[in-house]
Amino acid sequence: MPSTPRQRCASIAFAVVLLAACASQMEPAQRSISDIEAALSTAAPDAAKYVPDQLTDVRREFGDLKAMFDRQDYPAVLEEAPAVMEKAQGLASAAAAKKAELTQALGEEWSELAARLPGYMTVIQSRIEFLARKSSRKIAAGIDLDAARGSLAEDSSAWSKAQAAFATGNLGEAVTTAKRLETSLEGLASTLKIELKAPRLPGS
């Protein structure tokens, strides 16, 4: 049955209302998308370094939100956007917390390394001097003392680099350099036929 003029007018009026409603929601939906994108852009550098999994999740949800917008499902965008924004804004605090945790762990590791490595080098230096004595020729047989002195000099230089990195706040580099140094010193001690022992800590 063909529609009457009144029905056609009603349909047109309804469509106009829908379009108006859609248009009124598009702008706030677009603004929500832009705000979330800005929050992600700000938080991404640290989040990628300290909480990459969380960053990936938020980016995926943001991608879903943009897909809704592209489908012109603006009500859904406005409904979902607050939760995504909360997660995007939370990335900065999550990254800061993880950074603080890692910094504390590196600081503790550095303290332990700094407590034992200088002593290791002193012990090795004393061993080289002992083996260089004429009375120690039998014990020093087969040991290249010149090579040992050269290795210890390189290790001393590495320790200076580790200390410099620590002084400038680069804890990661300081600890990495110090751990490599510890491995080198342990190898050198083995060559010199001695065993390195960590110093006793107060109260231990």
Side-chain angles (χ1 to χ4, degrees), residues 65-146:
L65 205 64
K66 290 202 297 183
M68 294 176 192
F69 184 86
D70 292 340
R71 294 195 302 268
Q72 299 182 2
D73 191 354
Y74 305 131
V77 172
L78 294 173
E79 182 180 351
E80 300 293 334
V84 179
M85 172 58 89
E86 183 178 358
K87 292 179 181 179
Q89 291 175 330
L91 286 172
S93 57
K98 188 64 176 180
K99 181 179 181 180
E101 178 186 332
L102 292 175
T103 297
Q104 180 179 349
L106 285 171
E108 292 172 355
E109 191 169 10
W110 169 260
S111 295
E112 294 173 0
L113 289 163
R116 62 179 179 262
L117 294 186
Y120 284 179
M121 288 187 284
T122 298
V123 168
I124 289 174
Q125 178 63 44
S126 297
R127 179 65 171 177
I128 291 173
E129 292 173 358
F130 169 76
L131 293 175
R133 297 173 185 172
K134 289 184 178 180
S135 58
S136 302
R137 285 179 178 175
K138 181 179 286 189
I139 301 174
I143 298 176
D144 189 338
L145 292 180
D146 287 336

Side-chain angles (χ1 to χ4, degrees), residues 6-190:
R6 177 176 293 181
Q7 289 174 324
R8 286 196 294 272
C9 288
S11 297
I12 293 172
F14 181 69
V16 169
V17 170
L18 282 180
L19 287 173
C22 188
S24 69
Q25 290 180 320
M26 183 179 74
E27 185 176 342
Q30 176 66 70
R31 188 162 54 249
S32 295
I33 294 287
S34 297
D35 289 346
I36 295 171
E37 191 167 26
L40 272 174
S41 179
T42 299
D46 279 350
K49 186 174 182 180
Y50 297 108
V51 286
D53 290 345
Q54 290 186 41
L55 177 61
T56 298
D57 289 342
V58 176
R59 280 176 167 165
R60 183 177 60 252
E61 292 186 26
F62 180 57
D64 293 341
L65 205 64
K66 290 202 297 183
M68 294 176 192
F69 184 86
D70 292 340
R71 294 195 302 268
Q72 299 182 2
D73 191 354
Y74 305 131
V77 172
L78 294 173
E79 182 180 351
E80 300 293 334
V84 179
M85 172 58 89
E86 183 178 358
K87 292 179 181 179
Q89 291 175 330
L91 286 172
S93 57
K98 188 64 176 180
K99 181 179 181 180
E101 178 186 332
L102 292 175
T103 297
Q104 180 179 349
L106 285 171
E108 292 172 355
E109 191 169 10
W110 169 260
S111 295
E112 294 173 0
L113 289 163
R116 62 179 179 262
L117 294 186
Y120 284 179
M121 288 187 284
T122 298
V123 168
I124 289 174
Q125 178 63 44
S126 297
R127 179 65 171 177
I128 291 173
E129 292 173 358
F130 169 76
L131 293 175
R133 297 173 185 172
K134 289 184 178 180
S135 58
S136 302
R137 285 179 178 175
K138 181 179 286 189
I139 301 174
I143 298 176
D144 189 338
L145 292 180
D146 287 336
R149 291 189 187 95
S151 294
L152 184 58
E154 291 177 1
D155 289 339
S156 296
S157 177
W159 177 236
S160 295
K161 291 178 180 178
Q163 289 178 304
F166 176 76
T168 57
N170 195 338
L171 277 174
E173 181 181 344
V175 169
T176 298
T177 302
K179 289 173 74 173
R180 283 201 300 261
L181 168 59
E182 184 171 39
T183 299
S184 177
L185 290 172
E186 289 170 347
L188 181 55
S190 177

